[in-house]
Amino acid sequence: MAEIGTNIEYAKTLLEQGEVVAIPTETVYGLAGNALNVSAVTKIFEVKNRPQFDPLIVHVPDLEAAHEYTLDIPAAVKRLTDQFWPGPLTLLLKKKSIIPDLVTSGLDTVGIRCPDHALTRQLLSELSFPLAAPSANPFGYVSPTTPQHVNEQLGDKIAYILDGGPCRVGIESTIVGFENDIPIVYRMGGLSLEQIENVTGPVQVQAHSTSNPQAPGQLKSHYAPGKKVIIGNIIDLLQQYPAHATGLLTFQSDFNSPFQFVLSPSGDLEEAAQNLFTALRAFDKMPIDYILAEFVPDVGLGRAINDRLRRAAAVDSF
């Protein structure tokens, strides 16, 4: 298993040697490597068993660093960074050639973000390169929100997990790009559409792709646990699936089941987002065959939660 600790200097040394390290962010834990080192980036894909047509997000300590790796930062992007960086916002920008094509899957744009986690921002500020860092889990599986989640899945493949405690947001960053000055959300996440539109005005949503995605995290079947996820009305679903073989994932409702996870008894969408991936992982350790889930209210962070549920179930309706 990987060593877990808070030694930034050790993490820095490993990264400078071209190794990969798990790092904390406010959203989920990332599997990080030197974004300018093709060998290190290749290790990320190998450790995750991630297809190379799925691009990676590049993490920087601040907007000034983002200028080093992108060709242009439009005024609308600057307004977003002023408001939401550091934070759960990834911006899709035209890349400079210094960013390897492997990072962007051959696209001329790169996803850039400044994470809102003190430990990782300190690490980034001490490095001479940015970090490519998708979620620190096997490709397609539930994203990790604690060091233990990372160790359970990748502990035999990496040397070190930088321990930043449980992730505060618990769901990946929102990805925003611009086409003809129109803001487009490519992945819903920890920053709500309402928050973005308060800065940019109306946005378009283009949040999934079955192949050759234009941004990270767009694949339709993703964030999936080892059990089959079925979404609908829990009461109706319980008529179709045997109770002893099913886990129940609810927003607020308590069905008094031994195999149940209530995302937020108080109906708080932020709490529900924090708990989502932990809940999906918990079901994998239960003696069940199915996870019966219900959507949360489709507002604010609820849109991102519902997006992840759809992908976990790989349903057709987006």
Side-chain angles (χ1 to χ4, degrees):
M1 299 297 276
E3 179 183 350
I4 299 175
T6 57
N7 190 334
I8 290 178
E9 285 304 312
Y10 182 46
K12 177 185 175 186
T13 297
L14 288 170
L15 290 164
E16 288 173 340
Q17 292 173 347
E19 298 300 326
V20 295
V21 170
I23 60 170
T25 76
E26 78 281 22
T27 57
V28 300
Y29 272 75
L31 182 65
N34 181 349
L36 309 184
N37 180 332
V38 171
S39 175
V41 174
T42 300
K43 286 182 182 178
I44 294 174
F45 283 101
E46 290 174 344
V47 169
K48 277 183 64 75
N49 194 26
R50 180 184 178 101
Q52 292 188 0
F53 61 74
D54 196 15
L56 307 179
I57 291 174
V58 172
H59 294 67
V60 295
D62 49 41
L63 182 61
E64 184 178 351
H67 280 279
E68 297 180 35
Y69 310 111
T70 57
L71 291 174
D72 181 44
I73 296 183
V77 169
K78 179 67 164 56
R79 291 196 297 272
L80 285 170
T81 59
D82 286 346
Q83 191 76 22
F84 301 119
W85 269 19
L89 170 68
T90 294
L91 292 160
L92 210 56
L93 302 169
K94 294 289 185 182
K95 79 177 186 73
K96 289 183 178 176
S97 58
I98 190 173
I99 298 290
D101 286 342
L102 182 60
V103 172
T104 64
S105 301
L107 299 172
D108 64 357
T109 54
V110 61
I112 296 265
R113 102 171 181 98
C114 174
D116 188 12
H117 194 291
L119 207 59
T120 291
R121 290 189 70 206
Q122 182 180 343
L123 173 64
L124 286 165
S125 69
E126 295 183 14
L127 291 168
S128 62
F129 48 81
L131 293 176
S135 55
N137 56 287
F139 179 74
Y141 188 60
V142 182
S143 299
T145 55
T146 70
Q148 291 71 30
H149 291 164
V150 180
N151 227 0
E152 287 173 6
Q153 298 296 320
L154 300 180
D156 60 340
K157 296 182 178 180
I158 61 177
Y160 197 61
I161 300 169
L162 192 61
D163 186 356
C167 297
R168 174 172 53 82
V169 176
I171 202 163
E172 293 85 358
S173 62
T174 303
I175 300 179
V176 179
F178 287 82
E179 292 185 14
N180 300 319
D181 296 326
I182 298 171
I184 297 175
V185 172
Y186 290 95
R187 180 178 73 185
M188 289 183 280
L191 195 66
S192 71
L193 293 182
E194 291 88 344
Q195 289 173 290
I196 296 166
E197 289 181 330
N198 282 342
V199 175
T200 66
V203 303
Q204 294 181 8
V205 177
Q206 185 182 321
H208 78 94
S209 172
T210 53
S211 63
N212 297 321
Q214 299 302 300
Q218 280 199 298
L219 293 179
K220 184 176 175 182
S221 178
H222 213 52
Y223 315 111
K227 308 292 173 67
K228 182 173 178 58
V229 178
I230 300 159
I231 305 173
N233 181 285
I234 299 289
I235 294 175
D236 292 343
L237 290 173
L238 282 171
Q239 308 304 312
Q240 304 172 48
Y241 296 90
H244 69 273
T246 58
L248 307 180
L249 179 61
T250 67
F251 178 41
Q252 289 182 267
S253 303
D254 185 349
F255 284 84
N256 198 30
S257 165
F259 310 128
Q260 174 180 281
F261 201 109
V262 181
L263 291 175
S264 177
S266 65
D268 184 333
L269 287 171
E270 286 192 12
E271 181 184 23
Q274 291 167 10
N275 288 331
L276 177 62
F277 289 146
T278 296
L280 290 173
R281 285 175 174 272
F283 286 120
D284 271 352
K285 298 179 179 179
M286 297 179 187
I288 58 172
D289 298 320
Y290 306 98
I291 302 168
L292 308 184
E294 64 181 4
F295 288 126
V296 304
D298 203 41
V299 296
L301 284 182
R303 292 192 184 94
I305 296 170
N306 290 338
D307 170 78
R308 299 309 188 272
L309 286 172
R310 290 187 183 98
R311 295 182 201 228
V315 300
D316 293 329
S317 57
F318 267 79

